[in-house]
Amino acid sequence: DVKVTQSSRYLVKRTGEKVFLECVQDMDHENMFWYRQDPGLGLRLIYFSYDVKMKEKGDIPEGYSVSREKKERFSLILESASTNQTSMYLCASRSSTGTAYSNQPQHFGDGTRLSIL
Amino acid sequence: EDKVVQSPLSLVVHEGDTVTLNCSYEVTNFRSLLWYKQEKKAPTFLFMLTSSGIEKKSGRLSSILDKKELFSILNITATQTGDSAIYLCAVLNQAGTALIFGKGTTLSVSS
């Protein structure tokens, strides 16, 4: 079974702090994703990564950055946390091997519920 | 702008009922449509649909895609309290790089 592990289930930080959310997958997946999930808005893509050291902006990248130094780890960074970044953050990974148009589903971690005070 | 719309947004049924959840989409370069179930934690993968008219089935759950009318339905028969969850519909673009999610349908099954 695919395992996507997010380092914290719950996190409380203060405005202005630099916040790191970590995600590790154990299936050697090329693609990794960060979403945030808010009531009434669904899941929105923040950033994704095709492979090591590669990253692409999603729909709502403002106020965030990412790091993918190793294949299994994808970090989301809140440069200067603000209260509107209070949310549930979900990491996902997916295999893209075989063809460029792999039909593999994304597998999600359990989420980090982040509160910014 | 690409979008995925789910209906209803929430639903309350009794155990044993059959429910149908809807998902319509407007996505350029469609590749496939996925259904996920989310309880308290991670969304778990249910189905991936790529071709029209071919039903996918897993126990009491089934799903079908209509690429002409741009929608999919998820059916759950003989519902149980364990089916209570948020059901998420998402469309994968042709490049396989991005999933566009609907807002989800919250299903509550009462005993």
Side-chain angles (χ1 to χ4, degrees), chain A residues 21-87:
Chain A
L21 302 184
E22 305 288 346
C23 175
V24 176
Q25 47 93 5
D26 66 354
M27 285 301 291
D28 204 35
H29 284 171
E30 292 76 21
N31 303 163
M32 295 187 75
F33 307 82
W34 274 108
Y35 296 88
R36 63 178 282 177
Q37 185 176 27
D38 300 287
L41 297 176
L43 272 79
R44 293 179 291 165
L45 181 64
I46 305 171
Y47 266 96
F48 63 100
S49 169
Y50 290 110
D51 211 329
V52 179
K53 295 193 188 290
M54 299 174 74
K55 60 186 178 185
E56 294 285 339
K57 291 180 180 179
D59 299 320
I60 49 163
E62 296 79 18
Y64 303 94
S65 62
V66 290
S67 172
R68 185 113 182 257
E69 295 297 315
K70 293 186 177 181
K71 195 172 187 179
E72 68 269 20
R73 185 180 297 269
F74 191 34
S75 303
L76 179 70
I77 304 152
L78 285 66
E79 298 291 343
S80 176
S82 63
T83 54
N84 63 11
Q85 292 178 309
T86 292
S87 187

Side-chain angles (χ1 to χ4, degrees), chain B residues 49-76:
Chain B
L49 303 154
T50 307
S51 303
S52 266
I54 299 173
E55 185 183 54
K56 294 232 173 164
K57 201 167 168 63
S58 175
R60 294 176 295 103
L61 277 67
S62 63
S63 184
I64 198 160
L65 173 68
D66 185 328
K67 288 168 78 172
K68 184 179 175 187
E69 300 297 329
L70 307 183
F71 78 91
S72 173
I73 58 171
L74 175 68
N75 274 323
I76 309 175

